[in-house]
Amino acid sequence: MTSHMLSTLTEAQVDRAAAVASRLGHERLPGEEFATFWARIPVTGAVDHTGLHQRPDTELGARIFFSSGGSTGIPKFTLLDHTEMLRNCAVHGRGYRSCGIGSRDTVAAWGLAGTMNSEFTMYLALAETGCCTLPLGKGEDPDSVIDLVSRFDANVLLVMPSNLAPVIARLESTGRRLESIRLVVTGGEPLYPSDEARFRKSLGNSTAFRSVFQTSDTGTIGYQCASSGPGEFHIHEELQLVELIDADVEGTGYLVTTNLERRLTTVVRQRTGDLAQALEPNCPCGDASPRIRLVGRAGKIVKFGGEKFAVNSLVHLKEELGLPLDDFEAVLGKDSAGRDQFVIGSERMSADPQLQERARQLFAAISPVVRSQIDLGVVGPLEFSGPAGGATSRTVSGKTAYFTDRRA
């Protein structure tokens, strides 16, 4: 296993990393080089820590569970003490400031606290910017959101793309715009270029789009500045040690993080589930922190007609066709002959034969294997349908489900 540590570690960071690892029983030997010691620690996936609050022999103090459905929809719980939670919020708030949120802004923010959601920490993080926060709850009623944003002169939206899409659709249908919005800060899921272009048409012409990056398991990880490109993030290096594991010839590897300030739920060399590339740290904004570019989710590989298929490649099809995120869902199932078959759910595409033919061409061009399997009849031809209710499916954590495997 090869590893590339993005930060040039100080002695203080080395000591903190070794102390965190020791909580899991990984002890640095006397005189052992840190790189050698670190390589001995296994890389892990996300762990459920549901039972931590039930340890009767330890005084744990004030603590709180964070929860996540993840891309699999299987709940995972992480336990933080109160001090850790506040520290994470403070660092996350600095990320919001780097995105461009300041004390003169009024930020309309989606989200409620509850199982699978810990959005109250977002409000604590926003307090670090000095802004005025306008909580919108779940924001499920687009007309109510539009009315509140207008009434309170909000000029920043803090929202997942999936939750903004219905509001944009309502603005499009009524011919209205929210021209007061100067900045949209997203998180939780990627914002693709075609969706950004669509959203901007219903907001101000100069609206900026930036993002933050975090997971419930590992805490806040990164943020975008004004110079960040799509998927590019600065790393909160005061909180995270970030590595790329097993990078390919193009420099794309598995993103692995170590949180330097976790006490109850120790996070050491844990995969985030993302694929990333390292960028040069000399960002035009002057921030010298390490930088990465996220290139997709790891593990999104399925067997399609007996061959491995990278689900992330379907995003290319969505973007080439200019389909919005709320009108695109790829479902893998079986056709009447029992063959594997993809069905693209899209109301726009289901009513446009020319768009369908273009989609078939793009799908066949994804890889020579896919083209060969289609030509040989090993898999069923690409088909199309309108998604139920005119909207794509959601995960338990509210994110858009771009892909669903229904063969089981």
Side-chain angles (χ1 to χ4, degrees):
M1 177 183 292
T2 59
S3 169
H4 172 52
M5 184 80 73
L6 270 63
S7 298
T8 301
L9 302 184
T10 64
E11 283 300 319
Q13 286 177 308
V14 166
D15 291 342
R16 290 167 69 193
V20 171
S22 69
R23 298 186 193 125
L24 294 179
H26 304 293
E27 297 295 341
R28 186 180 179 185
L29 302 176
E32 184 179 24
E33 291 290 334
F34 178 77
T36 303
F37 159 66
W38 202 248
R40 290 197 287 108
I41 302 173
V43 174
T44 64
V47 179
D48 181 14
H49 299 275
T50 305
L52 279 179
H53 68 300
Q54 298 171 340
R55 297 193 315 219
D57 58 335
T58 305
E59 181 59 45
L60 298 179
R63 55 206 184 277
I64 185 168
F65 274 118
F66 281 66
S67 51
S68 170
S71 57
T72 63
I74 300 174
K76 295 185 295 293
F77 292 88
T78 302
L79 189 65
L80 275 68
D81 72 23
H82 194 67
T83 300
E84 292 170 336
M85 184 267 292
L86 291 178
R87 169 64 172 156
N88 190 86
C89 290
V91 175
H92 196 50
R94 287 201 290 277
Y96 284 148
R97 285 206 304 270
S98 296
C99 284
I101 299 176
S103 60
R104 296 185 178 183
D105 292 316
T106 297
V107 181
W110 276 248
L112 287 175
T115 303
M116 297 304 149
N117 297 286
S118 301
E119 269 86 349
F120 68 91
T121 59
M122 171 179 63
Y123 303 128
L124 294 174
L126 283 172
E128 296 290 324
T129 72
C131 74
C132 176
T133 300
L134 174 63
L136 296 179
K138 290 185 177 181
E140 294 177 325
D141 178 11
D143 288 318
S144 175
V145 169
I146 294 168
D147 177 65
L148 287 169
V149 169
S150 300
R151 182 186 305 178
F152 290 94
D153 296 321
N155 62 340
V156 178
L157 303 181
L158 184 57
V159 59
M160 282 200 310
S162 294
N163 291 331
L164 182 55
V167 176
I168 296 298
R170 183 59 175 165
L171 290 170
E172 291 170 338
S173 67
T174 59
R176 298 176 63 186
R177 298 181 67 190
L178 291 176
E179 297 188 6
S180 65
I181 303 302
R182 69 167 191 86
L183 174 66
V184 177
V185 178
T186 64
E189 60 185 13
L191 173 63
Y192 296 109
S194 63
D195 296 306
E196 178 181 322
R198 175 199 175 196
F199 292 168
R200 184 174 281 109
K201 291 178 182 179
S202 295
L203 305 175
N205 291 328
S206 59
T207 301
F209 289 81
R210 292 174 197 138
S211 183
V212 291
F213 174 41
Q214 68 281 322
T215 75
S216 294
D217 308 88
T218 62
T220 186
I221 298 173
Y223 53 94
Q224 292 187 329
C225 67
S227 301
S228 298
E232 296 179 359
F233 292 89
H234 289 275
I235 299 298
H236 289 297
E237 61 179 338
E238 73 270 42
L239 188 65
Q240 304 282 356
L241 296 187
V242 174
E243 304 171 71
L244 291 181
I245 299 294
D246 293 340
D248 60 21
V249 294
E250 296 180 345
T252 299
Y254 299 97
L255 189 66
V256 171
T257 66
T258 296
N259 190 304
L260 296 173
E261 298 196 5
R262 290 289 173 86
R263 182 176 71 89
L264 299 182
T265 303
T266 306
V267 176
V268 175
R269 303 199 81 192
Q270 181 172 301
R271 295 176 186 263
T272 66
D274 298 283
L275 292 170
Q277 298 170 338
L279 300 175
E280 292 295 327
N282 53 338
C283 182
C285 75
D287 187 334
S289 61
R291 296 193 300 149
I292 59 171
R293 177 186 294 114
L294 298 179
V295 297
R297 292 289 292 173
K300 288 288 189 177
I301 305 293
V302 298
K303 282 295 186 72
F304 177 52
E307 300 289 342
K308 291 183 179 179
F309 181 83
V311 175
N312 289 332
S313 62
L314 293 172
V315 173
H316 172 71
L317 189 148
K318 168 197 173 302
E319 288 295 282
E320 285 291 320
L321 297 173
L323 296 173
L325 62 88
D326 52 350
D327 192 31
F328 180 86
E329 181 177 10
V331 177
L332 179 55
K334 296 284 189 179
D335 67 6
S336 59
R339 301 175 299 181
D340 287 349
Q341 180 181 53
F342 272 105
V343 177
I344 302 297
S346 168
E347 287 188 336
R348 184 180 305 181
M349 191 180 298
S350 64
D352 189 335
Q354 291 184 335
L355 206 57
Q356 293 177 22
E357 181 56 32
R358 175 63 176 152
R360 290 190 178 96
Q361 294 172 0
L362 290 169
F363 184 70
I366 284 175
S367 77
V369 172
V370 170
R371 179 183 293 277
S372 175
Q373 288 182 313
I374 293 173
D375 293 342
L376 293 173
V378 176
V379 298
L382 190 66
E383 293 294 337
F384 308 92
S385 70
T392 55
S393 302
R394 298 290 186 98
T395 67
V396 292
S397 53
K399 301 176 184 179
T400 297
Y402 299 103
F403 167 74
T404 305
D405 189 345
R406 295 181 180 165
R407 290 176 296 181

